Each structure stands twice: as structure tokens, then as C-alpha cells.
Amino acid sequence: MNSQPEKGELCVIIGAGPAGLTAAYELARLGMRSVVLEKDFCVGGISRTINHSGYRCDIGGHRFFTKVHFIRELWEELMGEDFLLRPRLSRIYYKNRFFDYPLRIRNTLKGLGLVESFLMGLSYIRARLRPEREEKTFEQWVSNRFGRRLFRTFFKSYTEKVWGMSCSEISADWARQRIKNLDFIAAARNALVGAKTHGNKLVTSLIEQFHYPRLGSGMMWERLQEKLAEKQIETRLNQEVIKVHHAGGRVTAVTARDGQGREIRIRGEYFISSMPLRDLINAMDPQPPRDVGNAADSLCYRDFITVMLVVDTPAIFPDNWIYVHSPEVKVGRIQNFKNWSSEMVPDPSKTSLGLEYFAQEGDELWNMSDDRLIDLARSEWTRLGFATVGKVIDGTVIRMPKAYPVYDSKHKDSLEVVRNWIGTLKNLYPVGRNGQHRYNNMDHSMASAICAARAVHGAKIDIWDVGVEKAYLEEAEAEGEVEREKMITAKVIRDTFANYDALAMGTALGLMAAIVLFLMSIILILKGGDPIGPTLLLLSNYFPGFRMTLIGIVIGTLQAGGWAFFFGLLLAHSINLVIGIIKNMLLRQIEIVRTMEDGD
Amino acid sequence: MAEKDRIDLEWKMLDRAVARLRAGVMAVVFGLSAACALFGATVWLLIKGSENIGPHLNLLGNFFPGYKVTWPGAFIGFAYAFVSGAVIAWGIAWIYNFVVHFRLKKRANRKNFLPGGK
């Protein structure tokens, strides 16, 4: 697709979020020139950190963890001593109570009380015995698996807050998709082997601790911007790409507009875009075919508002963030920035919180004035019962459009159409969460950017096929040991959950019982006596026709074999049933965690 | 292999995994259990004592030549029971594994003959 580029060829990168900046950094490492265009006033995209009077606020929570060595090393190199290792605590707040997240049975039962837990158990049994036949909606899908009562308690309100629609309107495909790629082996490994005894430190860190820059997630991207500047790579802020010019199957230039409305055309040989796919297609000049435009327009996004409140108290709750499931308030999550890093607040006697609202650009919440949003956050803070812990003394509002690509029923087909058309432009590489319309984490976005940069440099990589695809990254060999360990544990888990072959078990026990009885009878006949083997003959009470004659022995051994065969069948099925129950219990726990992980 | 494909494959492998019996382990465990049981039962009767000690257990002498409910017999019985238990358990495991192997091979062959099967 691409020949090895000349050193002087310029790559234009659209967007200075984690993906865009990483692409520029990787290109620089490969000895290529690039320029980064960012429409906003700061770098970091959704991972930026806003500074309000010294109080720092992230847009959502951004834990830094990754399986990709190269990215972990890059983070460590950029942050050095400023990369803190933080303990993780996040809980669910529902009906004025905190529930552990991920859900733990004992804590959940304690929080819900005996009666509610009992009713929830009944609801679960009912759902398992009489599931709804249709599984078209998210509501039906979850209810069939966990019971209607658990769905109403732990899924309904939060999911509806995140996606802004009723669970009965959300397609079951979305839930299926989240579970489809469930890595049962990895999850079971964590659950069974346990973090303490497992050699892979990463697994422990995902659950209990994470890395975080001292001054917020944005610090990482500011550092990266500085590093790029040292390498003479320019990051131009307030430059919104409004046109992407293309001809002859290649992008030739982009037109960017600055804060004063001045337009500038930038030519390049390669283009890496992290701008939302919908905007990218709409910016194309000339416009793509109508079906591509329509497909791009049908890609939806969910937007995000953070209201930061400064509370006049040194500590409120120990969590990094809490999920607010209570349906009586609109707030979906509350970040406690001080628990991410103590330096997120300038005054240790104060606490800063981020009350997060999921919205739709242009809806009532989105259009609310900042003052009204702060009032709303303040009143909901009071309504949740926290008002007594301290007085709210300041606040600010941050709006983040297109924070989440929406996986609705149409997105898959639309994305396919858009992807196919973009594929006709040989020098354009979409990367990152919005660039690929993919629910990426930070490290996935960075991995896609690294792969795009390497593709620009001449590597044969399908960037749409990049998750954290190790084969494309340098550390593949370094991770060989981890892979080997994974394979071994995968085998152990497969052996643990393997079913017994009932027919084989029946055959084995049946044959062996028959052989043993036959040999015992023959030995007694050969020894002789009068009567022969009276004690063994007592078996004729159970095996009618069993006698110390050749025919009698055959009749007896056939019956013994038959009974042992059925016993073997029953034994194998019983063991398989117990294994299945344990496996399903584990699966349900994992599914609960997976399904509730939205908005992270 | 893509992450998704790997996970799909692991699911398939997990669903299709059939447990095997470890013949050696089963032989040792069953052999030892049987040996200890017979040794214990013999010794128990000897300690209890009576005029006619263990008439029923003595019948095992029909199958284990030299075995009697006596102190030396307890040790002889231990050896016989160990061998018998081990042979029976090993036999069960061997037959089980053989049938599993045969059935899986048959399943794999059948799949290969199906159009598109691999």
C-alpha cells in the first residue's frame, strides 16, 4: 500500500488527544516529520485535565493501565517520578447505601437486606425457570440472566443515564457484544488462581491499583506535547480541520480554521485522523457518495458534562469515584479527584468533586447555563445526603461533546460502509476512540496510533484490526513469557472445567465391574466346594439368575456391568452438573461486571 | 491471531474440553485406599478378638491366596488389596480414556468430512 517514505515527507495528524500525540511521537521515533492540528485550546482530548483556580479536574476517570509494554514504558518515560501508583476503590451508591464494585455477594446481601435479597433470589430463579422468550432488548437480555429485580436495582437506572434511552429501547446486541468477547479463561484465572499467587502483576494492578500522573491525566499529554516540541514537532492548538481534500484515491491536504476564523490549507503526504468519523466524512472535499454520507450521519455519540464542585472539607468518601444508581438524580458518577492524586487540589482542607452527567449535544441538560448546572449539581449533592459533610464553595462546568461512540443497532453496518470508503483513500489512517468509532481505552487508542504511524512508515498493518494486537508491536517477544504463562493457565482452567464423558465413564465402570465379578466367580468355580461361593451367590438377590454356572455367571456379569454402566453415566452427569453450576456462577459474576462497566 | 479470535477459540475449546482420567494417579489412590481399608478392617477384628475371628473377611482368602485374619495376613492383604485396587482403577481409567479418545477421533473425522468443516 505505502512505499517507504522520504524523510522530508510530512504527515498531518488531526487531533492532539492520546492517539494523535502518540502517532506524532512514533513518527518522530521513526524519523518522520509531522504536524498535529487540534481544534481545542489544549491537548489531551477527553483525557485532558482542566485547571480551575488551582483545582484540577479530569473529564471522567482515566486509570493508566495497559498490557502493552511499549505503551507502559512510554508512560513511565514521560512521567518519571510523577507517575503515581494509586489504590483503586469504586463503589455503587444506591438508596443511600454503598455497594462494592465489582459486586460481592456478601456485601450486596448485607446492603439490600434479607427480604430484598430473598426476593431477588426468587426473581433470579423465576427468570432461569421461565425466561422471556424474546431477547431483543437490553432489558430482556439482562432480566433473563439475572432476574428482573436485580436488573431494576443495578442495571436499569445507570444504563439509562449513560445512554439516555430506556433499557427497553437498547438493543440486546449491545449487551451480547460486551459479553461475546468475554475472556472467560482470563477472568476465571483471576477468580480461581487469585491475584496474590499469580505471577502476572498486571492482573493485580487492574483490580486493586493503577498508575496516575501527579497532576491529572492531562499532565501526560502536556508532557508528550513538550517532548514533541523538543523534537521540532509542532502541535497547533485552536486549529479545527473543516475540510479534507482528496483526489485520485489520496488525501492531498486539509483546511484548518483557527480561533479568529482564518483558514489555512496544509498539504501532506500522509494523514492520520483522530477526529470523529462522522465529522471526517462530512469534511471530505469532494463529498463521498450519498450512502457513505448517510452512513456517517447515522453514527451517534454520547456527550458528557462534568460539574466540578469544591467542597469545604478535607475528606468526603474514600473512593476514587462512585457510580450513582439512584434514579431520583441525574448525576451518573462522582469523581473524587483528591483520591486520584492529593495534588489535584491546591488546599488540603478542601475537596474537589466531579459530578458527571451523560447528555446529548443540544438537549436540555447540555443547553443549561453553567450557573444552572452548578445549582443542579449542588441540589443533587444535597439530595444524595452528602450536604452535611461540607459546604460547596465553588464550581465550574466542562462540556465534552462526543465522549462515547454509541453502539446502537445501526452502527455496525454504517461503520462498515464508512470503513470501506475510507479504505479507498490510500494515505488516510483513522485512529483512536472517535477516529475509529470504537469504545477504546487510552492504551487501545495509543496502540492504534502506533500502528498507523508504522503503517505510514511502510509496515503492512490493517489498522482497523488493531486492538492491542501484539504481533504488530515490538514487545511481542518480550511478552512471550506472559503468553506462555497464559497458555499454561488456560490449559489448567480448561482441565478444571472440562466435562466428563458420560458414555466413557459408564463403559469403563460397566466393563470393569463385569470383569471383576466374572473373574471372582471363575476363581470360586475352579476352587470348587459344596456349595460353591455361597457368599458371592448372595448377589443373586440383586442380579436374578446369577448362579455358579457358566450361564449363571454370564447373566450375573451382564447385570453387574449394566448397573455399573448406569452408575457411571449418573456419576459423570452429576460431576458435570456441579462443574456447570460453578462455571455458570463464575460466568454470571463476570457478566455482571462486564455489563456494568459502561462509561468508564 | 486477533484477540477476538483467540477468545472465540478458547470458548470453543472450553466447551469441547473432555476430562481425562489419570490412570497412574487413580491406580495409586485406589490401591492405597483399598490396601488401608483391608489392613484396617483386619487389624480391627484382630484387636476386638473372639473365638472365630472374622469368618466373612476370611473368605477373601479365596481370591487372595495366603490371606487370613491374622497379623501376617493383614500385611499380605495390604499387598493384595493394593494391587487389586490399583489394577481395577487403572483399568477403569484406561477404558475411560480409550473410549474418550475413540469418540473424539470419530467426531473429528466426521467434522472433516462435512462441507467446510475443519
Side-chain angles (χ1 to χ4, degrees):
Chain A
M1 183 168 71
N2 298 301
S3 57
Q4 188 81 4
E6 297 295 323
K7 206 169 180 179
E9 289 180 343
L10 182 72
C11 180
V12 178
I13 297 169
I14 306 169
L21 292 175
T22 306
Y25 190 78
E26 180 67 5
L27 284 172
R29 202 180 66 81
L30 296 167
M32 290 189 67
R33 290 193 309 132
S34 65
V35 59
V36 185
L37 306 175
E38 169 57 49
K39 80 168 182 176
D40 243 317
F41 64 93
C42 65
V43 296
I46 195 179
S47 310
R48 72 185 60 175
T49 299
I50 302 295
N51 189 333
H52 171 74
S53 311
Y55 291 92
R56 292 170 181 276
C57 167
D58 287 351
I59 317 292
H62 301 282
R63 284 172 289 152
F64 285 72
F65 63 83
T66 182
K67 293 175 184 174
V68 186
H69 282 199
F70 179 85
I71 290 168
R72 194 158 55 237
E73 281 166 12
L74 175 61
W75 288 345
E76 284 165 2
E77 178 197 325
L78 289 169
M79 286 290 106
E81 295 289 306
D82 292 324
F83 212 27
L84 312 175
L85 189 60
R86 303 293 302 150
R88 174 192 167 166
L89 177 64
S90 53
R91 288 177 295 171
I92 292 167
Y93 191 73
Y94 178 73
K95 286 191 175 173
N96 299 331
R97 284 179 188 276
F98 284 104
F99 294 86
D100 286 347
Y101 175 80
L103 291 175
R104 288 194 179 100
I105 290 174
R106 196 182 296 174
N107 169 270
T108 310
L109 295 180
K110 198 177 157 192
L112 291 170
L114 269 179
V115 176
E116 184 60 28
S117 302
F118 177 71
L119 292 174
M120 219 169 251
L122 283 184
S123 156
Y124 173 76
I125 292 168
R126 188 184 164 191
R128 301 306 294 173
L129 293 177
R130 291 183 60 194
E132 285 193 49
R133 280 186 190 168
E134 260 195 350
E135 262 193 15
K136 284 186 176 170
T137 68
F138 177 77
E139 181 172 344
Q140 289 166 334
W141 194 94
V142 176
S143 298
N144 273 357
R145 269 147 196 84
F146 308 116
R148 187 157 285 278
R149 225 175 168 89
L150 192 83
F151 161 76
R152 279 203 302 262
T153 308
F154 287 115
F155 290 88
K156 187 176 175 3
S157 61
Y158 187 70
T159 308
E160 289 181 353
K161 280 180 194 179
V162 173
W163 298 109
M165 54 179 124
S166 163
C167 286
S168 58
E169 291 170 37
I170 300 172
S171 163
D173 288 343
W174 174 77
R176 276 193 210 105
Q177 187 158 348
R178 290 189 74 82
I179 304 299
K180 190 175 68 178
N181 286 347
L182 173 63
D183 191 344
F184 180 79
I185 299 287
R189 179 169 48 223
N190 295 347
L192 295 173
V193 182
K196 283 179 187 169
T197 54
H198 193 252
N200 188 355
K201 287 177 191 164
L202 184 75
V203 176
T204 319
S205 68
L206 297 186
I207 299 160
E208 293 163 354
Q209 51 192 9
F210 57 88
H211 279 102
Y212 187 71
R214 187 170 54 83
L215 295 175
S217 59
M219 188 184 189
M220 177 73 77
W221 316 115
E222 287 158 17
R223 281 275 169 87
L224 191 47
Q225 184 190 9
E226 287 166 18
K227 282 266 180 191
L228 290 173
E230 285 169 18
K231 293 172 189 280
Q232 318 298 323
I233 307 290
E234 199 184 347
T235 306
R236 298 186 195 168
L237 302 177
N238 296 308
Q239 298 278 333
E240 183 182 6
V241 170
I242 53 170
K243 278 202 175 116
V244 178
H245 308 280
H246 64 97
R250 292 180 73 84
V251 176
T252 52
V254 296
T255 299
R257 186 191 288 146
D258 70 10
Q260 277 78 48
R262 286 174 302 214
E263 292 184 6
I264 181 171
R265 194 177 171 114
I266 304 165
R267 292 187 165 279
E269 288 300 318
Y270 300 95
F271 295 81
I272 293 177
S273 165
S274 67
M275 69 192 281
L277 265 187
R278 190 170 71 189
D279 296 349
L280 178 71
I281 294 296
N282 286 329
M284 285 292 168
D285 178 32
Q287 279 283 300
R290 184 176 286 184
D291 64 317
V292 178
N294 290 342
D297 286 338
S298 73
L299 294 174
C300 296
Y301 301 87
R302 191 74 173 142
D303 311 299
F304 190 77
I305 301 168
T306 297
V307 181
M308 185 172 81
L309 298 179
V310 179
V311 186
D312 188 17
T313 187
I316 297 178
F317 48 77
D319 310 57
N320 308 102
W321 72 91
I322 54 175
Y323 296 97
V324 182
H325 282 219
S326 309
E328 64 273 16
V329 291
K330 288 181 175 167
V331 63
R333 218 168 37 184
I334 302 176
Q335 301 287 343
N336 188 341
F337 297 117
K338 202 176 178 180
N339 291 342
W340 289 77
S341 164
S342 60
E343 293 191 47
M344 294 291 276
V345 294
D347 179 353
S349 68
K350 310 280 190 294
T351 301
S352 66
L353 302 165
L355 278 77
E356 298 174 346
Y357 295 89
F358 302 93
Q360 209 67 49
E361 219 172 334
D363 73 5
E364 191 192 345
L365 203 61
W366 187 264
N367 288 336
M368 258 188 204
S369 68
D370 286 4
D371 287 342
R372 281 189 61 203
L373 275 169
I374 292 169
D375 282 344
L376 174 72
R378 201 194 292 253
S379 69
E380 293 201 332
W381 178 248
T382 307
R383 209 164 162 189
L384 288 170
F386 289 111
T388 50
V389 295
K391 193 180 162 197
V392 176
I393 55 170
D394 194 9
T396 190
V397 175
I398 302 123
R399 290 177 179 79
M400 177 52 67
K402 299 187 178 67
Y404 305 110
V406 173
Y407 281 17
D408 56 19
S409 54
K410 288 178 286 182
H411 94 280
K412 222 173 177 178
D413 295 336
S414 302
L415 194 57
E416 189 66 24
V417 173
V418 172
R419 262 181 67 167
N420 287 340
W421 187 78
I422 285 180
T424 63
L425 300 171
K426 301 297 178 197
N427 60 342
L428 176 63
Y429 303 88
V431 295
R433 179 182 275 197
N434 280 341
Q436 295 191 326
H437 201 84
R438 197 179 276 179
Y439 206 112
N440 276 342
N441 283 331
M442 220 164 5
D443 61 332
H444 292 85
S445 292
M446 293 174 75
S448 71
I450 289 170
C451 291
R454 290 178 187 180
V456 165
H457 192 250
K460 284 194 166 60
I461 297 173
D462 178 1
I463 55 162
W464 291 99
D465 198 27
V466 176
V468 278
E469 198 59 58
K470 294 182 193 70
Y472 293 140
L473 301 172
E474 283 178 351
E475 61 281 7
E477 278 184 29
E479 296 220 330
E481 199 177 320
V482 176
E483 284 302 313
R484 272 194 296 279
E485 192 185 349
K486 270 187 181 175
M487 278 172 65
I488 293 166
T489 47
K491 188 183 178 320
V492 171
I493 287 163
R494 268 201 302 279
D495 289 350
T496 307
F497 290 104
N499 282 326
Y500 284 85
D501 187 323
L503 191 71
M505 186 67 89
T507 308
L509 289 188
L511 263 178
M512 199 42 83
I515 290 168
V516 168
L517 185 61
F518 183 81
L519 287 177
M520 286 168 81
S521 307
I522 292 296
I523 288 169
L524 292 178
I525 285 177
L526 290 176
K527 285 190 79 168
D530 191 21
I532 300 170
T535 314
L536 196 65
L537 269 177
L538 291 173
L539 280 175
S540 61
N541 286 313
Y542 308 103
F543 307 149
F546 177 52
R547 299 277 180 276
M548 285 299 159
T549 60
L550 198 60
I551 292 173
I553 291 169
V554 171
I555 291 170
T557 50
L558 281 176
Q559 288 181 76
W563 281 112
F565 176 81
F566 284 115
F567 176 73
L569 283 181
L570 199 66
L571 184 71
H573 282 305
S574 307
I575 296 171
N576 292 344
L577 184 71
V578 175
I579 289 173
I581 289 170
I582 294 168
K583 189 171 145 189
N584 272 326
M585 281 167 67
L586 198 57
L587 200 58
R588 290 287 165 267
Q589 281 180 357
I590 300 162
E591 282 179 347
I592 286 180
V593 173
R594 279 294 178 104
T595 317
M596 288 170 67
E597 263 179 351
D598 320 311
D600 273 0
Chain B
M1 187 191 294
E3 186 74 358
K4 183 182 163 300
D5 294 339
R6 184 185 66 77
I7 292 167
D8 283 349
L9 183 67
E10 280 187 350
W11 268 111
K12 273 182 198 161
M13 287 169 79
L14 188 71
D15 287 342
R16 288 178 189 167
V18 180
R20 304 293 205 283
L21 295 178
R22 293 179 174 211
V25 175
M26 276 185 69
V28 171
V29 171
F30 274 65
L32 271 178
S33 303
C36 289
L38 184 57
F39 184 81
T42 311
V43 167
W44 176 252
L45 292 177
L46 287 169
I47 292 169
K48 264 183 77 180
S50 77
E51 278 185 20
N52 184 16
I53 303 173
H56 294 106
L57 207 57
N58 261 324
L59 291 174
L60 274 177
N62 286 317
F63 310 107
F64 301 156
Y67 172 75
K68 286 191 181 78
V69 184
T70 58
W71 282 104
F75 289 97
I76 293 168
F78 181 93
Y80 273 123
F82 178 82
V83 173
S84 310
V87 168
I88 289 172
W90 189 88
I92 289 173
W94 189 87
I95 295 168
Y96 172 87
N97 290 339
F98 177 80
V99 176
V100 167
H101 176 77
F102 178 75
R103 274 160 56 81
L104 287 181
K105 203 173 163 185
K106 203 172 152 191
R107 194 161 74 185
N109 286 340
R110 197 171 50 217
K111 210 171 171 190
N112 279 340
F113 281 114
L114 290 174
K118 185 76 191 164

